[in-house]
Amino acid sequence: SELADKLTKILSPGRKIPPTHVEEGPGEFPDTQASNRKADELLHWRPAVDLDEGLRMFVDWFKTATEVVGEAR
């Protein structure tokens, strides 16, 4: 998937890691088509960062958060 490819590029630059596909759990949707269009039309809202930058920011935050939790144990 596009999201898995983007995360792989951030977490393991230069490597091609094939995703492992698993069946959806109860209540999960097999596919979504998320869009910010309505938020833009109704609220004039646009994301402050694009998906790639947001994923990089999340990965950085997650690495820091898990280090802090590990140190607290």
Side-chain angles (χ1 to χ4, degrees), residues 4-49:
D5 290 341
K6 288 178 180 291
L7 283 170
T8 298
K9 286 179 186 174
I10 294 168
L11 295 167
S12 302
R15 292 182 62 195
K16 180 68 177 164
I17 302 172
T20 301
H21 296 278
V22 296
E23 294 200 23
E24 293 89 18
E28 289 186 23
F29 295 98
D31 189 34
T32 61
Q33 300 296 322
S35 171
N36 295 331
R37 184 183 55 81
K38 272 237 170 154
D40 183 25
E41 289 175 3
L42 299 174
L43 305 171
H44 307 288
W45 177 87
R46 293 205 174 141
V49 297

